Amino acid sequence: MSDKMHLKLTVNGEAVETLAEPRELLIHVLRERLGITGPHIGCETSHCGACTVDMDGKSVKACTVFAAQAQGAEITTIEGIGTPDSLHVLQEMFREHHGLQCGFCTPGMITRAWRLLQENPSPTEEEVRFGMAGNLCRCTGYQNIVKAVLAAAHELNSVKEAAE
Amino acid sequence: MKDLPDSAERRANLKGLGCARKRVEDARFTQGKGNYVDDIKLPGMLFGDFVRSPYAHARVKSIDASAALALPGVVAVLTAKDLEPLGLHWMPTLAGDKQMVLADGKVLFQGQEVAFVVATDRYIAADAVELVEVDYEDLPVVVDPFKAQEPDAPVLREDLAGVTEGAHGPRRHHNHIFTWEQGDAEGATAAIDGSEVIAEETIYYHRTHPCPLETCGCVASMDKVNGKLTVWGTFQAPHVVRTVASLLSGIDEHNIRVVSPDIGGGFGNKVGVYPGYVCSIVATIVTGKPVKWVEDRMENLMATAFARDYWMKGRIGATRDGRITGLHAHVTADHGAFDACADPTKFPAGFFHICTGSYDIPVAYCAVDGVYTNKAPGGVAYRCSFRVTEAAYFIERMIEILAIRLGMDAAELRRINFIRKDQFPYISALGWEYDSGDYHTAWDKALKAVDYEGLRREQAERVEAFRRGETRKLLGIGLTHFTEIVGAGPVKNCDILGMGMFDSCEIRIHPTGSAIARLGTISQGQGHATTFAQILASETGIPADKITIEEGDTDTAPYGLGTYGSRSTPVAGAATAMAGRKIRAKAQMIAAYLLEVHDDDLEWDVDRFAVKGAPERFKTMAEIAYAAYNQAIPGLEPGLEAVSYYDPPNMTYPFGAYICVMEIDVDTGEWQVRQFYALDDCGTRINPMIIEGQVHGGLTEALAIAMGQEIAYDDMGNVRTGTLMDFFLPTAWETPNYQTDWTETPSPHHPIGAKGVGESPNVGGVPAFSNAVHDAFRAFGLTQTHMPHDHWRIWRTARDLGLHG
Ligand code: FES
Ligand code: FES
């Protein structure tokens, strides 16, 4: 055990602080110290993507980031992507297209897709499949996830066009 | 009754059977508000973690936990010695064997639980695991089930020394568990020997693992004030867990509450009872604090619930024109160190004797020998109904091999031998009563949908082009027609640890016409909260959107045997329909009273009882519900509730026709699924959207199993595929799009005719993918090569066939 560090983060738009050991993984800090249990743990080895969060504008696997590396970071998790009264289009499309079953991969999937659509607002099916390949799902076979992400892209683009 | 002008609209409003209703579960899951076991946090909660064996077979000479105990934050280190006084150092398995909870003198597989560390947080627990000193003396390892049966093979289970009678009959060797036989051995052999054409082959269905995205875990909490134990966990069968926990711990069953919260996929992995659960319960009793244990991925792959590992030796005979005359199967089943297979008690090889498949085979025999090796225990039904996947793979490979021997098209060979529609209910040579089917229609529809003849022409041209050196890619057409057997099962022959495999539903209709229903099953992603409400909507006329479905809490839900083996729809779905009918029967009496007519003068119309011939005089279910609570009705109890415990008269037999078109690169062994067509017949379809989702998911698991996923061991018993680096889970990148289709042949004995679908795509998908690989090389003389067909193995096949020039 090592001494705890004073960790300051911005999580879903709110400044938060906590004590954590430097070796602690970001996913554990979020889930256990901050009570943010949306991101899940499926492997702790960077393979499954269940722990995906957005850190300083990039998708990261929070099981592979030390607390110390996250000092000062701006983090968005599934909890910060939409609210019950105003869901994000991705959240709606995942439901609409049956893009989830057990729901365990879903927070990571949506958080990754949220970043993907900012990186590439009009992806092809291939680009979605490639861009989401770091997130495993054991239930859906991906077909409906891909459909949901493409539908969300379409929806977001139409809203943008209408606004312009 | 004939539909009234507005019946169709009212029916649509119910969102009942057949509606592609969106899922009610999704709101919480898409917002990160699911409640999975690792999300549970209780005041003062401790964390448990295991010291595991690095050896596959060794004597444990000593365990020194002093350094671990000296670490601040460590509360306890449990070993077998601590559990022994409680009689909990071993536990019974579902298969009639017993299993060490913590190593009792020796270890028998790599990753076996040796000691349980309890600490104030998971990091300290992990540090302490490293500090526990275990002195091992290694013993000879046997990982091959054939070598395990040699006379001088190492003795694995010393605890069974001298035990010649096992749970399933005589044991003939120290590493032998059971021999289990079905059918007519002599008859089958004679029929095959006398056949014009005989095919013989050994088919290996390798060891793999269900690997749901969420691993197994629990939180156990002993409330010493009230004497009540609560266990939240990833349990596919929470009620059975409560009974087992009571029997093992001696705590009265009413003082145990087992809760399955949201479960992140199960696929069979979460049926068994694991040492982690037992140790957590002991630890909470000892410490008086809640204890959480959640395994990591490596532990999950190494120690809990493998699936398959069947060596299947088959012989099949036929006439020259392709009529099958007999089938003979012998299986060597590698069960690992303890027989912890999750099968109904009387079926040590599950329903493997569905291995005659979709075919009318006059005589058949199968025998299964279970064997101990230095591998992890398990043997669960990985998205399948108790060894049905093994059986389907076996027969669908044997058919392909027979087609090669006959020089016949494999689609035609299937068609010739299908059980005909007019033969149902059909009694198979191995004793099953198939409830309903129309295989020819499904098959023809499938072949037409993919333009089968066109594909064969393209394939022939491809072979020619390959021979001319114009391409290095081959085309494989993988065919499968599978028949499943699901919905265990009749209580008369199916039980788990003595508990009959019925299931249950309890409904309460609220005064204002909405409802809650509770079931004995538990969803792990199948969408029960959505679909069971649809069944009830159609039965009671209450809109699905006004029905809450709850499962998984043994304090509130009626007793049931849980969700696995595609049994939820066939068994709990039936219980739901029957409970709904009880509601309706009482509602009819109430309506008759309110309308001042005789019960028989009423008829049901979607959501109401109306007077026959006077449809304008009616009472809706909502009005009836209100009356049930607000007025005294002579001769009737107040309230509107019902409960049904359903014991199915038979299993259900879903079937399907799958066709996979695969491109294979001969030089790299890479494959690409160009097309996959899946026709499923699961009887009455409750929610087409969910069925399709189940098919996509099951096919992707099948793709993984067939094309790369395995739990592999080296000769020392080291697990070579213990992380997601080595254990293949397909990503969105290599997973194809699937084309789904259906026919609908209702089950005649199920109240709504539904058969269950969740596992069909795994059962049918594996042979479809594997047959595609084999078929690509058929023109070059390949008859059988074992799964998984990863790039290296495909490359090796091509090399062995001399295709690398
Ligand atoms: S838990 Fe982080 S990638 Fe799997
Ligand atoms: S929905 Fe279960 S893992 Fe994706």
Side-chain angles (χ1 to χ4, degrees):
Chain A
M1 224 191 342
S2 45
D3 284 343
K4 291 203 168 80
M5 61 185 285
H6 185 187
L7 197 62
K8 293 186 184 178
L9 308 165
T10 306
V11 180
N12 299 326
E14 260 178 60
V16 294
E17 38 193 306
T18 182
L19 292 177
E21 287 181 56
R23 66 167 179 173
E24 265 181 60
L25 301 174
L26 177 59
I27 189 67
H28 291 135
V29 173
L30 290 171
R31 290 178 50 83
E32 301 196 355
R33 298 205 182 268
L34 302 175
I36 294 174
T37 54
H40 296 137
I41 299 170
C43 68
E44 292 173 308
T45 52
S46 233
H47 292 101
C48 78
C51 63
T52 303
V53 301
D54 204 79
M55 182 162 126
D56 295 331
K58 285 200 182 75
S59 298
V60 299
K61 290 175 171 169
C63 71
T64 325
V65 176
F66 286 119
Q69 292 172 284
Q71 184 66 278
E74 193 155 323
I75 287 166
T76 305
T77 69
I78 185 69
E79 286 91 341
I81 282 179
T83 65
D85 299 326
S86 151
L87 290 181
H88 190 274
V89 178
L90 274 163
Q91 293 169 314
E92 280 170 8
M93 290 301 120
F94 266 65
R95 174 160 196 258
E96 186 63 31
H97 294 283
H98 190 29
L100 63 149
Q101 291 181 24
C102 77
F104 200 75
C105 70
T106 313
M109 282 284 175
I110 292 180
T111 309
R112 170 60 198 141
W114 181 75
R115 177 52 57 193
L116 177 72
L117 294 187
Q118 293 177 60
E119 292 161 354
N120 179 359
S122 306
T124 61
E125 176 179 341
E126 260 207 346
E127 287 167 340
V128 171
R129 286 186 175 272
F130 191 76
M132 302 286 296
N135 290 69
L136 297 176
C137 175
R138 290 291 289 142
C139 302
T140 65
Y142 306 105
Q143 193 158 331
N144 290 341
I145 291 179
V146 173
K147 231 197 252 177
V149 175
L150 289 171
H154 183 78
E155 192 79 3
L156 288 167
N157 289 335
S158 344
V159 171
K160 220 189 318 168
E161 266 165 40
E164 275 160 15
Chain B
M1 108 179 248
K2 276 226 318 279
D3 271 13
L4 297 173
D6 65 341
S7 295
E9 194 187 324
R10 283 184 284 119
R11 190 170 295 119
N13 285 340
L14 293 182
K15 299 192 189 160
L17 290 183
C19 170
R21 180 178 186 227
K22 304 292 176 222
R23 300 200 331 161
V24 296
E25 296 87 343
D26 292 357
R28 68 177 186 279
F29 293 147
T30 54
Q31 295 179 71
K33 296 296 179 205
N35 182 35
Y36 301 90
V37 72
D38 201 16
D39 299 340
I40 295 169
K41 197 172 174 180
L42 301 175
M45 189 169 74
L46 304 173
F47 291 81
D49 203 346
F50 279 111
V51 176
R52 292 177 182 275
S53 169
Y55 293 98
H57 195 194
R59 213 162 289 294
V60 177
K61 293 170 68 186
S62 65
I63 302 174
D64 179 0
S66 52
L69 284 165
L71 189 70
V74 174
V75 177
V77 178
L78 301 177
T79 64
K81 278 207 182 65
D82 303 303
L83 301 184
E84 193 172 352
L86 307 168
L88 289 176
H89 55 319
W90 288 73
M91 63 178 182
T93 69
L94 296 179
D97 193 4
K98 54 182 182 156
Q99 173 179 354
M100 287 180 215
V101 173
L102 291 171
D104 183 20
K106 71 186 288 197
V107 287
L108 287 157
F109 65 94
Q110 188 182 53
Q112 188 178 330
E113 299 80 1
V114 175
F116 190 67
V117 173
V118 185
T120 50
D121 88 28
R122 66 173 86 209
Y123 285 76
I124 298 173
D127 287 343
V129 162
E130 299 299 318
L131 295 174
V132 175
E133 290 275 350
V134 185
D135 191 10
Y136 298 98
E137 176 191 309
D138 57 338
L139 295 168
V141 171
V142 59
V143 290
D144 176 327
F146 298 99
K147 287 191 184 141
Q149 297 178 80
E150 286 169 5
D152 56 349
V155 177
L156 305 189
R157 293 289 298 276
E158 286 158 24
D159 59 295
L160 296 178
V163 178
T164 51
E165 194 65 24
H168 307 287
R171 301 171 65 223
R172 54 172 163 65
H173 179 277
H174 51 264
N175 293 328
H176 180 246
I177 310 172
F178 63 81
T179 299
W180 185 73
E181 297 174 282
Q182 291 289 308
D184 174 359
E186 278 169 32
T189 303
I192 296 165
D193 287 346
S195 299
E196 290 164 343
V197 179
I198 300 171
E200 259 185 81
E201 196 57 70
T202 296
I203 318 262
Y204 180 45
Y205 197 144
H206 58 292
R207 181 176 275 238
T208 180
H209 194 285
C211 194
L213 201 58
E214 176 201 38
T215 59
C216 300
C218 70
V219 175
S221 178
M222 184 75 204
D223 173 350
K224 293 213 168 175
V225 177
N226 296 307
K228 187 142 184 161
L229 171 71
T230 305
V231 188
W232 293 264
T234 49
F235 307 133
Q236 288 181 234
H239 300 273
V240 181
V241 169
R242 185 186 69 191
T243 302
V244 173
S246 174
L247 293 172
L248 288 183
S249 68
I251 301 172
D252 283 339
E253 205 164 347
H254 74 287
N255 276 330
I256 302 178
R257 175 178 170 220
V258 173
V259 184
S260 295
D262 287 325
I263 297 184
F267 318 123
N269 194 177
K270 295 165 180 174
V271 172
V273 173
Y274 299 123
Y277 306 152
V278 178
C279 290
S280 302
I281 291 172
V282 172
T284 186
I285 293 171
V286 171
T287 63
K289 300 223 168 115
V291 176
K292 179 188 276 188
W293 166 74
V294 177
E295 61 180 2
D296 68 23
R297 179 57 61 193
M298 214 163 165
E299 296 178 290
N300 173 253
L301 291 172
M302 286 196 350
T304 53
F306 80 89
R308 328 296 194 225
D309 217 345
Y310 260 31
W311 289 91
M312 306 177 285
K313 202 162 175 275
R315 290 185 83 218
I316 190 166
T319 60
R320 208 165 287 121
D321 55 3
R323 285 283 330 175
I324 298 172
T325 49
L327 177 72
H328 189 288
H330 179 268
V331 179
T332 299
D334 184 339
H335 284 215
F338 307 98
D339 187 11
C341 288
D343 292 311
T345 309
K346 296 186 194 78
F347 297 89
F351 305 152
F352 183 78
H353 47 315
I354 192 73
C355 64
T356 52
S358 309
Y359 311 104
D360 183 14
I361 299 180
V363 54
Y365 167 80
C366 74
V368 179
D369 276 305
V371 179
Y372 291 123
T373 60
N374 288 119
K375 297 184 190 168
V380 300
Y382 172 4
R383 203 171 186 148
C384 104
S385 176
F386 313 120
R387 305 293 187 181
V388 175
T389 37
E390 288 90 330
Y393 184 63
F394 170 73
I395 185 66
E396 289 301 301
R397 284 298 311 136
M398 289 308 294
I399 290 282
E400 293 280 317
I401 293 161
L402 180 61
I404 293 172
R405 296 276 175 268
L406 287 161
M408 191 182 248
D409 178 80
E412 186 54 24
L413 177 59
R414 285 180 173 85
R415 189 202 311 274
I416 294 173
N417 288 287
F418 281 147
I419 301 161
R420 292 187 321 273
K421 190 178 171 184
D422 58 274
Q423 287 175 284
F424 291 94
Y426 170 85
I427 311 280
S428 77
L430 294 174
W432 294 115
E433 185 185 324
Y434 291 35
D435 59 349
S436 64
D438 183 354
Y439 302 164
H440 285 96
T441 301
W443 196 235
D444 290 342
K445 191 173 181 186
L447 296 181
K448 195 159 165 240
V450 300
D451 181 19
Y452 180 67
E453 280 169 16
L455 282 173
R456 285 292 177 207
R457 274 196 302 278
E458 183 188 346
Q459 183 185 43
E461 283 159 19
R462 183 74 69 87
V463 168
E464 287 316 310
F466 181 85
R467 290 199 162 118
R468 289 193 302 270
E470 292 162 15
T471 178
R472 297 299 291 163
K473 281 198 177 166
L474 296 175
L475 188 68
I477 303 164
L479 304 176
T480 287
H481 190 289
F482 64 91
T483 295
E484 258 215 289
I485 171 168
V486 308
V491 169
K492 63 177 187 291
N493 53 13
C494 288
D495 69 271
I496 299 260
L497 291 176
M499 298 295 126
M501 295 181 76
F502 58 83
D503 229 291
S504 59
C505 174
E506 184 188 282
I507 310 173
R508 293 185 195 167
I509 313 291
H510 306 315
T512 52
S514 61
I516 183 165
R518 297 190 172 97
L519 290 92
T521 43
I522 176 72
S523 180
Q524 309 122 40
Q526 296 90 337
H528 290 176
T530 303
T531 50
F532 285 125
Q534 291 181 250
I535 297 177
L536 272 185
S538 288
E539 293 293 341
T540 65
I542 295 172
D545 290 345
K546 292 192 175 187
I547 302 171
T548 298
I549 300 287
E550 271 188 16
E551 304 173 296
D553 184 338
T554 59
D555 264 9
T556 56
Y559 204 101
L561 271 278
T563 297
Y564 43 86
S566 275
R567 62 186 300 283
S568 294
T569 295
V571 192
T576 305
M578 297 313 269
R581 285 173 196 180
K582 288 184 185 174
I583 294 281
R584 213 157 88 184
K586 183 168 178 186
Q588 182 164 6
M589 292 190 259
I590 297 171
Y593 172 78
L594 297 174
L595 292 163
E596 299 179 359
V597 295
H598 191 272
D599 295 2
D600 294 343
D601 294 331
L602 293 174
E603 56 191 344
W604 176 251
D605 175 52
V606 184
D607 58 354
R608 62 190 56 182
F609 278 105
V611 176
K612 282 182 191 163
E616 70 290 349
R617 292 187 60 209
F618 63 83
K619 288 288 168 190
T620 64
M621 185 55 96
E623 291 170 318
I624 295 166
Y626 197 64
Y629 290 92
N630 88 336
Q631 55 181 288
I633 298 172
L636 282 183
E637 284 178 13
L640 196 50
E641 298 191 6
V643 54
S644 168
Y645 281 78
Y646 188 79
D647 177 11
N650 188 4
M651 316 247 192
T652 60
Y653 296 75
F655 61 93
Y658 291 177
I659 299 173
C660 171
V661 184
M662 193 184 279
E663 297 272 355
I664 286 179
D665 186 317
V666 168
D667 296 317
T668 63
E670 285 171 295
W671 47 267
Q672 203 196 353
V673 177
R674 186 173 93 184
Q675 182 183 13
F676 198 105
Y677 170 90
L679 179 150
D680 274 284
D681 191 319
C682 57
T684 304
R685 290 156 55 86
I686 299 168
N687 182 324
M689 176 191 83
I690 286 186
I691 293 173
E692 193 172 281
Q694 290 288 315
V695 173
H696 293 170
L699 286 175
T700 305
E701 289 187 346
L703 173 79
I705 296 167
M707 307 310 291
Q709 182 179 89
E710 71 177 317
I711 296 291
Y713 288 82
D714 69 12
D715 290 346
M716 302 288 289
N718 296 306
V719 181
R720 292 198 287 115
T721 51
T723 72
L724 295 190
M725 189 71 154
D726 324 284
F727 184 80
F728 176 50
L729 298 183
T731 70
W733 185 244
E734 54 268 284
T735 303
N737 279 311
Y738 305 104
Q739 215 179 318
T740 53
D741 204 346
W742 48 283
T743 55
E744 191 163 349
T745 314
S747 167
H749 62 77
H750 186 282
I752 60 167
K755 290 187 170 185
V757 74
E759 297 164 343
S760 295
N762 195 325
V763 170
V766 172
F769 289 113
S770 179
N771 283 347
V773 174
H774 284 93
D775 184 67
F777 293 107
R778 177 173 170 175
F780 303 93
L782 180 69
T783 44
Q784 174 64 19
T785 178
H786 297 315
M787 293 192 292
H789 306 297
D790 54 23
H791 298 167
W792 178 69
R793 285 184 174 94
I794 293 178
W795 176 88
R796 199 181 52 179
T797 298
R799 182 201 60 191
D800 293 350
L801 293 170
L803 302 185
H804 290 161

